[in-house]
Amino acid sequence: MAEAHQAVAFQFTITPEGIDLHLSYQALNQIYLSGLRSWKKRISRIKNRIIKGVYPASPSSWLFVVIAILATMYMQSDPSMGLITKIRETIEAIEVLSLSAQGQTVLSVLLFSTLLWLSLILALRFCLKLLLSYHRWMFELHGRISTKTKVWATLVRLLSSRKPLLYSYQTSLPHLPVPSIKDTLERYLESVKPLLDVAGFQRMTRLAAEFEKSLGNRLQKYLKLKALWATNYVSDWWEEYVYLRSRSPIMVNSNYYGMDFLYVTPTATQAARAGNTITALFLYRRKVNREELNPSRIPGTVIPLCAAQCERMFNTTRMPGEETDVLQHWQDSEFVAVYHRGRYFRLWVYRAGRLLSPREIQYQIQRILDDPSPPSPGEDKLGALTAGNRTPWAQVRKQFFSSGVNKRSLDCIEKAAFFVTLDDQEEGMMGENPSVNLDRYAKSLLHGKCYDRWFDKSLSVVVYKNGKNGLNAEHSWADAPIVAHLWEFTLATDAFHLGYTADGNCRGEIEHSLPPPQRLSWDIPLQTHVSESLAVAQALADDVDCHVFPFREFGKGRIKKMKMSPDSFVQLALQLAYYRDRGTFCLTYEASMTRLFREGRTETVRSSSNESCAFVLALEAGEVIEHCRKLFRKASEKHQNLYRLAMTGSGIDRHLFCLYVVSKYLGVESPFLKEVLSEPWRLSTSQTPVQQMELFDLVNHPEFISLGGGFGPVADDGYGVSYIIMGEEMINFHVSCKHSCTETDSHKFGSQISQAMMDLMTLLNPDFKEATKANPDKRS
């Protein structure tokens, strides 16, 4: 909007009497207010840089140091041990500074105090970094905390006592350590032992030994050199080689989704729901920009997690390249891109430097919904280019979108804060067959019609005709917990803070002079290219089999009463379900975070262990219950230990991945690494953590339960399983696989998961089965 106002802010005509200047004071006022907002943001950024730059101290502590030094000087004492005198002598030698003796003394004290203050800040930050490098606390048993850990926790609390900004801890977080080759190979061999026969395991042991003796140590040296130089030795390669260099479609294969509330829809008015959702997202962006969000922490502790992934949450697009894609991030954006019935619009959400009210955004959205204009030729399915293979999209973009009207319109989409789809379908758990409709809802968020989402955008919000909403997120810039945190805030702000009027509309006033949303124009002589990308995407979408179901029999409350980790319980249930489904075990991927370290992302927990396999085999063989129970607890403890190792930088897969990348740079081949990196993950799992439970009052409003989110299958013959532990009494599961594999079925596997969960709880508590029979309503 600022560009438009700038164009009409003043006009002039040349007459015989001279130049007649016409000023539009309203337009000039809006330009002034927009500029004022921009300067306020710059000043806020500078202020935040100073505050987080001196953390864990505060800017005001400088004044305290100055006063303390001046006070000691006044008492005829020199705390600097002669340094102030030397500074004063240096000042005297500078002829340009003609200061009195008193002025020279004050300036010397100020300089010394500032140097002392900066030294203290560096010392405090170094101490905090050392404290945050201690991870043994994670391996100690609950209730048996050592004295060393108690002292450590007290010191961390003392150094973290001042309220931090979002990025205050970044420079104090430790770097991800490089594990030793020997430890990684030992853990790897232990993880594959239950999955291989004797001959296969002996072969892998031999390959690992040859790798360690020959190439391994050479690659390790290069990796340690990178770890000394880089902030994180994994993250940049992980982003580039796992995500950006992939040439297959990111739809289904990479992007993931988040769902709305399970039981309620705050309003059935599509424009109103879009108005509140867009407002909530911009309020979150404002908190990120101002760094007003509290840094995420390990639940129940003061241990901070890396917040680097928040930086590219908004105003970010994945741009296609012929060999590798590029993540492009812009500092700011005052508009969103909107898609409705084959047409693209630019919707400004700021006017004269202020964020439009939810009611005003609803008004603008309704204008788009009421717009009767048809799509221009080729416009309706243009988004399919982002859903197909990456190289053709890069070539088309270079050929047809490098200049002219196409470039201007594409820039509007790529530079938007995020993408919004106004879907003309109705979705959610509704109708006579809510289970089937829930599955359709998941597929809609995962891939839609393959052309009505812009899969390259960091965030694509979908608002359905019946008011239901959802989210599709591009994966390369951040992992699911970051997006989940955003989505929790959005849902809670929409339902509990912004709210709706009695007739389902947004609250707030409307300025009816708002200019209408801008329709984007295109000149698209490339229908053949669009059709080819759409065919690839449609085949992929049609092959995806999704099943979403809430497990209501029990939740983490009952699991914790059995003195077990809820995550370990679910993972062992998945192992049991997979064995019953396929009659064998498989390499299992569970995503764990490494955000205890700076710029950390994820590590793999190999959930299929010797202990878990031994337990499943014993249970299925009908062995004595007490023996099975002991194996169950042993397997759970093993899984927890594997998870802790992954979180603290002692995982297996990221280390081997980076060694493989180094080998490629050096142009050497490793049969061991090649085989390890080609092993299929037939069971890929991930827990979506609830991070802001305080936003949802499940006691008074139990219906406001989120469904969580999910992702597509990683292997063609495997399953993708996402789960979210909601409150104390529910766990929501998202299962995906492919129709083209005759051995996988998401509904069948979902039933196996439910039965495995029930069987494991019955094993721990035999009375549970009888209690369930006595209360059959809980299953409905």
Side-chain angles (χ1 to χ4, degrees):
M1 190 170 356
E3 295 95 323
H5 287 309
Q6 208 165 356
V8 298
F10 67 91
Q11 298 174 349
F12 66 90
T13 54
I14 300 175
T15 66
E17 290 77 21
I19 298 176
D20 187 12
L21 183 66
H22 304 281
L23 292 174
S24 171
Y25 291 101
Q26 182 183 4
L28 287 173
N29 182 56
Q30 296 212 17
I31 292 172
Y32 164 74
L33 292 173
S34 294
L36 187 64
R37 172 179 174 267
S38 178
W39 275 104
K40 283 181 178 178
K41 288 183 70 174
R42 290 176 190 175
I43 293 169
S44 176
R45 288 194 192 104
I46 294 170
K47 174 189 168 187
N48 287 341
R49 284 195 190 107
I50 294 171
I51 292 173
K52 68 189 178 188
V54 302
Y55 193 86
S58 66
S60 59
S61 62
W62 174 81
L63 187 61
F64 174 80
V65 173
V66 171
I67 292 172
I69 298 297
L70 285 171
T72 54
M73 294 288 290
Y74 179 77
M75 294 181 343
Q76 303 299 317
S77 175
D78 184 4
S80 70
M81 294 180 291
L83 283 175
I84 291 177
T85 303
K86 287 187 178 294
I87 294 172
R88 188 171 57 204
E89 290 173 355
T90 304
I91 293 173
E92 287 177 1
I94 302 174
E95 296 179 358
V96 180
L97 296 173
S98 56
L99 297 173
S100 64
Q102 187 177 6
Q104 291 173 0
T105 301
V106 171
L107 182 58
S108 301
V109 170
L110 288 175
L111 288 172
F112 173 76
S113 300
T114 302
L115 290 172
L116 177 61
W117 179 64
L118 292 173
S119 300
L120 289 172
I121 288 170
L122 291 174
L124 286 172
R125 188 177 292 171
F126 179 73
C127 290
L128 184 57
K129 193 168 190 174
L130 282 179
L131 289 170
L132 295 178
S133 300
Y134 174 74
H135 298 130
R136 294 308 306 170
W137 63 272
M138 200 176 292
F139 295 87
E140 294 182 355
L141 296 175
H142 185 68
R144 298 182 187 178
I145 302 173
S146 66
T147 304
K148 181 180 179 181
T149 297
K150 289 178 181 177
V151 172
W152 164 81
T154 302
L155 291 173
V156 171
R157 286 192 182 92
L158 284 173
L159 286 177
S160 306
S161 57
R162 198 170 68 83
K163 181 175 172 58
L165 298 175
L166 177 61
Y167 302 120
S168 289
Y169 288 109
Q170 289 303 104
T171 54
S172 300
L173 291 173
H175 288 200
L176 183 68
V178 181
S180 71
I181 287 279
K182 182 179 179 182
D183 289 345
T184 297
L185 294 180
E186 285 178 356
R187 292 188 187 114
Y188 169 77
L189 291 172
E190 182 186 0
S191 73
V192 297
K193 188 174 183 180
L195 309 177
L196 301 172
D197 56 25
V198 175
F201 182 70
Q202 288 176 347
R203 176 176 165 277
M204 285 307 301
T205 303
R206 186 178 68 255
L207 286 174
E210 291 172 356
F211 173 73
E212 183 180 4
K213 290 176 182 177
S214 57
L215 188 59
N217 289 323
R218 181 187 171 195
L219 302 179
Q220 181 81 342
K221 288 176 183 177
Y222 281 97
L223 203 55
K224 285 186 174 181
L225 185 63
K226 187 195 175 186
L228 288 172
W229 176 256
T231 306
N232 188 297
Y233 79 92
V234 175
S235 294
D236 57 338
W237 284 350
W238 187 255
E239 180 179 298
E240 179 179 358
Y241 292 104
V242 172
Y243 295 115
L244 298 181
R245 281 188 178 267
S246 173
R247 301 294 82 200
S248 59
I250 60 175
M251 182 197 79
V252 176
N253 293 325
S254 179
N255 287 28
Y256 51 96
Y257 65 87
M259 283 183 157
D260 196 2
F261 296 117
L262 175 60
Y263 297 117
V264 297
T265 305
T267 178
T269 305
Q270 185 178 19
R273 191 72 196 280
N276 266 11
T277 301
I278 292 170
T279 302
L281 286 165
F282 272 95
L283 291 176
Y284 190 89
R285 190 184 74 163
R286 179 187 292 171
K287 283 181 172 288
V288 171
N289 289 342
R290 295 177 179 177
E291 301 187 36
E292 293 173 348
L293 289 175
N294 292 323
S296 296
R297 302 178 189 271
I298 298 286
T301 75
V302 294
I303 311 304
L305 301 175
C306 179
Q309 294 178 55
C310 296
E311 295 172 357
R312 298 180 294 182
M313 187 176 290
F314 297 95
N315 330 321
T316 300
T317 296
R318 175 172 173 166
M319 292 186 171
E322 294 192 24
E323 293 185 359
T324 182
D325 293 353
V326 175
L327 270 177
Q328 183 68 50
H329 173 72
W330 288 269
Q331 195 68 42
D332 194 18
S333 177
E334 297 188 346
F335 59 89
V336 295
V338 182
Y339 177 93
H340 177 244
R341 291 186 179 175
R343 303 156 307 159
Y344 291 87
F345 297 83
R346 173 161 62 174
L347 171 60
W348 293 92
V349 294
Y350 278 87
R351 179 173 172 82
R354 72 169 179 90
L355 179 65
L356 298 183
S357 70
R359 188 72 181 88
E360 287 173 324
I361 296 177
Q362 176 188 346
Y363 174 70
Q364 296 290 71
I365 291 290
Q366 192 60 54
R367 281 176 152 181
I368 294 174
L369 294 172
D370 294 339
D371 188 331
S373 62
S376 59
E379 180 184 14
D380 57 337
K381 294 182 172 61
L382 186 64
L385 291 169
T386 69
N389 290 316
R390 304 303 293 174
T391 300
W393 169 210
Q395 293 168 344
V396 167
R397 189 179 189 278
K398 184 177 180 180
Q399 183 177 355
F400 296 102
F401 295 89
S402 296
S403 61
V405 64
N406 288 344
K407 184 182 187 305
R408 290 193 294 273
S409 294
L410 183 61
D411 281 348
C412 288
I413 294 175
E414 293 182 334
K415 294 181 180 180
F418 50 88
F419 191 80
V420 179
T421 294
L422 301 174
D423 204 301
D424 53 5
Q425 301 293 319
E426 295 187 355
E427 299 293 353
M429 193 172 74
M430 58 187 187
E432 297 179 358
N433 198 338
S435 177
V436 172
N437 289 332
L438 207 54
D439 298 344
R440 189 183 69 183
Y441 177 27
K443 279 180 66 68
S444 175
L445 288 173
L446 185 61
H447 55 68
K449 298 173 184 174
C450 303
Y451 57 80
D452 55 350
R453 317 280 188 260
W454 200 267
F455 294 101
D456 288 353
K457 285 299 293 179
S458 57
L459 301 169
S460 292
V461 179
V462 184
V463 184
Y464 294 97
K465 189 176 180 179
N466 60 340
K468 216 69 181 169
N469 71 5
L471 183 78
N472 184 286
E474 200 277 317
H475 206 329
S476 63
W477 65 273
D479 301 305
I482 302 297
V483 176
H485 192 279
L486 159 74
W487 197 236
E488 288 169 12
F489 177 91
T490 303
L491 292 178
T493 303
D494 168 24
F496 302 122
H497 299 288
L498 298 176
Y500 299 89
T501 61
D503 57 355
N505 290 311
C506 295
R507 294 170 179 164
E509 301 298 323
I510 302 176
E511 183 184 330
H512 290 282
S513 62
L514 290 171
Q518 176 190 351
R519 174 78 187 274
L520 301 186
S521 302
W522 307 91
D523 178 16
I524 308 176
L526 60 152
Q527 279 87 339
T528 303
H529 300 284
V530 172
S531 298
E532 289 172 356
S533 291
L534 181 58
V536 171
Q538 195 66 60
L540 179 60
D542 292 343
D543 197 21
V544 175
D545 177 20
C546 288
H547 181 45
V548 180
F549 64 97
F551 181 81
R552 303 186 185 94
E553 273 63 42
F554 58 87
K556 71 175 182 181
R558 186 178 287 272
I559 297 173
K560 285 187 172 180
K561 285 180 181 178
M562 298 294 106
K563 297 182 178 180
M564 289 200 75
S565 157
D567 184 67
S568 295
F569 187 97
V570 174
Q571 284 293 325
L572 288 167
L574 292 174
Q575 291 298 312
L576 178 58
Y578 188 87
Y579 183 80
R580 288 173 173 175
D581 185 67
R582 303 288 289 272
T584 185
F585 298 107
C586 73
L587 197 60
T588 305
Y589 181 111
E590 181 188 5
S592 162
M593 66 170 183
T594 55
R595 289 168 61 207
L596 287 168
F597 304 96
R598 192 171 179 183
E599 294 184 13
R601 291 199 59 165
T602 61
E603 176 58 276
T604 305
V605 180
R606 294 180 166 231
S607 301
S608 184
S609 63
N610 289 303
E611 290 78 2
S612 68
C613 294
F615 160 68
V616 170
L617 291 173
L619 186 67
E620 292 301 277
E623 294 189 16
V624 179
I625 290 178
E626 190 58 38
H627 177 61
C628 291
R629 198 173 291 149
K630 288 180 180 178
L631 290 175
F632 185 20
R633 293 196 178 278
K634 186 178 179 182
S636 174
E637 290 169 5
K638 177 65 176 181
H639 177 266
Q640 284 183 272
N641 191 56
L642 290 173
Y643 203 101
R644 292 173 186 133
L645 286 170
M647 284 184 66
T648 54
S650 297
I652 300 168
D653 292 275
R654 299 301 177 269
H655 185 201
L656 293 177
F657 162 77
C658 288
L659 291 172
Y660 180 75
V661 174
V662 173
S663 74
K664 289 298 179 184
Y665 276 124
L666 296 178
V668 294
E669 288 292 330
S670 168
F672 171 74
L673 290 176
K674 187 176 181 180
E675 185 156 339
V676 170
L677 271 294
S678 62
E679 292 170 342
W681 300 96
R682 291 193 173 87
L683 185 55
S684 181
T685 70
S686 177
Q687 180 192 166
T688 305
V690 180
Q691 303 163 74
Q692 304 167 93
M693 207 64 203
E694 69 278 4
L695 297 179
F696 303 91
D697 184 5
L698 295 183
V699 175
N700 297 315
H701 300 283
E703 69 277 12
F704 284 92
I705 288 177
S706 171
L707 264 171
F711 53 89
V714 174
D716 291 339
D717 58 348
Y719 292 105
V721 181
S722 174
Y723 53 96
I724 179 170
I725 300 173
M726 280 301 304
E728 299 293 313
E729 299 182 352
M730 180 182 285
I731 303 174
N732 294 326
F733 287 91
H734 299 248
V735 181
S736 65
C737 61
K738 293 192 174 181
H739 290 295
S740 55
C741 178
T742 57
E743 297 180 339
T744 57
D745 184 314
S746 66
H747 288 75
K748 179 185 173 185
F749 192 56
S751 298
Q752 296 280 22
I753 293 172
S754 295
Q755 188 58 52
M757 294 281 288
M758 295 290 290
D759 290 348
L760 294 188
M761 182 53 71
T762 303
L763 175 66
L764 292 176
N765 181 13
D767 296 333
F768 171 71
K769 197 170 186 178
E770 296 302 321
T772 305
K773 288 180 181 178
N775 188 18
D777 293 339
K778 195 167 184 180
R779 297 193 180 196
S780 59

